Amino acid sequence: MSAQPSEDPRRQRAPDGEAAPQPKRKNAPAPSPYRRPRGGPRPRPATIVKLPEGHRAIVEKNPTSVGFLGGAFSMDSLEFLKWMAVYFHDDIACLRTLLFLMGSQEPGGTIRATQKQIAGELTLNRVHVNRAIGRLFDLGLVHMVTRGLYQLNPQVVLRGGTIEVQDPGRPFNRKPATRKVDQLDLIEELIDDPNVSNEFKQLMLPSRAPKKPKASEG
């Protein structure tokens, strides 16, 4: 008579037509949204920040700026905005040219446009645009990097974002290296540039109040 294999007493036999119940796993971890499923992406390692004694940190959501018309915006000195509204009261062509440059800047405060293109956009004579940009040069508000490339003074207006940087050791088949625009770093770079005028480096906004209207006689 052959020996029959003995069944495990812990296993339960299911009735005919039903699946046998699976044995319960002991010490199974509770489900958690932070547990990585098998085959899923590995979680990023946590970053530990050490704070000085007596200090605390607050974690906040990054601010958004999608509500601006056109999706782009710049940082402007409030003092400068008031100044140019008063200073250019009798030179509308210069004021319009300056506003056009401020609205056309790329990250870092650069503008790629020729005087012919600016004159066409503003429907102004090219002579007036040339005179206006020359006046902005003399005031230290604009610097011409090369022909068709201008730089606004970051002390009064600056568009943030990321810009490409030169990296000679970077492989040619990779994307250009970039860095975020930093106002103070940009100011220092322009100060060290020998091609930038002293008026641009040492910006001094001249005061000029508009003429008061004459009182009517009688």
Side-chain angles (χ1 to χ4, degrees), residues 176-209:
T178 60
R179 65 175 174 86
K180 288 186 177 181
V181 175
D182 184 271
Q183 183 194 29
L184 297 182
D185 290 344
L186 180 58
I187 292 175
E188 291 182 0
E189 292 176 7
L190 293 170
I191 290 177
D192 294 337
D193 189 344
N195 297 319
V196 178
S197 66
N198 291 329
E199 290 78 10
F200 191 95
K201 298 177 181 180
Q202 304 171 3
L203 181 64
M204 296 291 291
L205 298 178
S207 60
R208 182 186 180 194

Side-chain angles (χ1 to χ4, degrees), residues 51-55:
L51 300 176
E53 185 178 354
H55 292 70

Side-chain angles (χ1 to χ4, degrees), residues 28-70:
S32 171
Y34 301 101
R35 183 171 294 107
R36 179 174 63 90
R38 293 184 178 180
R42 293 182 175 274
R44 294 182 179 181
T47 301
I48 300 176
V49 179
K50 294 183 179 180
L51 300 176
E53 185 178 354
H55 292 70
R56 65 176 181 175
I58 300 176
V59 179
E60 296 180 347
K61 183 180 179 181
N62 288 332
T64 58
S65 58
V66 296
F68 286 94
L69 186 64

Side-chain angles (χ1 to χ4, degrees), residues 141-205:
L141 299 176
V142 178
H143 164 66
M144 188 174 70
V145 183
T146 57
R147 185 178 178 85
L149 179 61
Y150 301 98
Q151 170 73 56
L152 287 172
N153 198 316
Q155 299 180 67
V156 294
V157 56
L158 177 63
R159 179 182 173 185
T162 56
I163 57 177
E164 295 184 2
V165 294
Q166 298 293 332
D167 187 1
R170 195 175 186 85
F172 70 91
N173 57 348
R174 294 188 61 185
K175 293 182 178 180
T178 60
R179 65 175 174 86
K180 288 186 177 181
V181 175
D182 184 271
Q183 183 194 29
L184 297 182
D185 290 344
L186 180 58
I187 292 175
E188 291 182 0
E189 292 176 7
L190 293 170
I191 290 177
D192 294 337
D193 189 344
N195 297 319
V196 178
S197 66
N198 291 329
E199 290 78 10
F200 191 95
K201 298 177 181 180
Q202 304 171 3
L203 181 64
M204 296 291 291
L205 298 178

